[in-house]
Amino acid sequence: GPGFWSRITGAGLLACAMLTPAAAERKEEQRHSLRPLLGLVFSALLWTALLIPAGWAAATFLAGSFACRKAGCGWRESLLIPALLCLLLYAGMVRLLQWPLPEGLFFPLFAGA
């Protein structure tokens, strides 16, 4: 169910963060910086604000891209990681668990899934 999915997703995100080769290099320089933390907080607020008007796919992609950029990722990573997250959410929540996610008022992506 949804409780199991959130645990798997959290563990996957933790594993991705720990296995990223660039994360070890940036760890020392970001230790005293608030930029990644503020980027993550703002990304969560952005996702919450965009979820209903834009839908889950657009909100997740935009907030994820912003979080990646503020964490120091390059443009390619900042576009690829949120796209993969959207695909995993679609496969896991919408298809596998049959749990409908907000489609959005302006951009009804994946409608009728």
Side-chain angles (χ1 to χ4, degrees):
F4 184 63
W5 175 255
S6 62
R7 287 186 179 102
I8 288 177
T9 308
L13 288 173
L14 182 62
C16 288
M18 291 171 52
L19 295 175
T20 304
E25 297 169 6
R26 292 189 305 252
K27 189 175 182 179
E28 284 302 316
E29 64 188 47
Q30 289 181 354
R31 189 172 295 232
H32 300 291
S33 174
L34 288 178
R35 183 178 174 194
L37 177 63
L38 293 176
L40 186 60
V41 169
F42 185 76
S43 296
L45 294 173
L46 179 67
W47 185 82
T48 304
L50 291 177
L51 185 60
I52 299 301
W56 69 271
T60 302
F61 184 81
L62 291 173
S65 295
F66 184 81
C68 286
R69 288 298 297 158
K70 291 301 174 186
C73 294
W75 280 106
R76 188 171 39 166
E77 291 173 313
S78 297
L79 296 175
L80 183 63
I81 292 171
L84 289 174
L85 180 60
C86 287
L87 287 173
L88 287 173
L89 279 172
Y90 177 73
M93 295 297 286
V94 176
R95 287 296 185 190
L96 183 66
L97 295 176
Q98 305 272 322
W99 189 272
L101 296 172
E103 294 176 7
L105 302 173
F106 303 121
F107 305 105
L109 300 175
F110 305 112

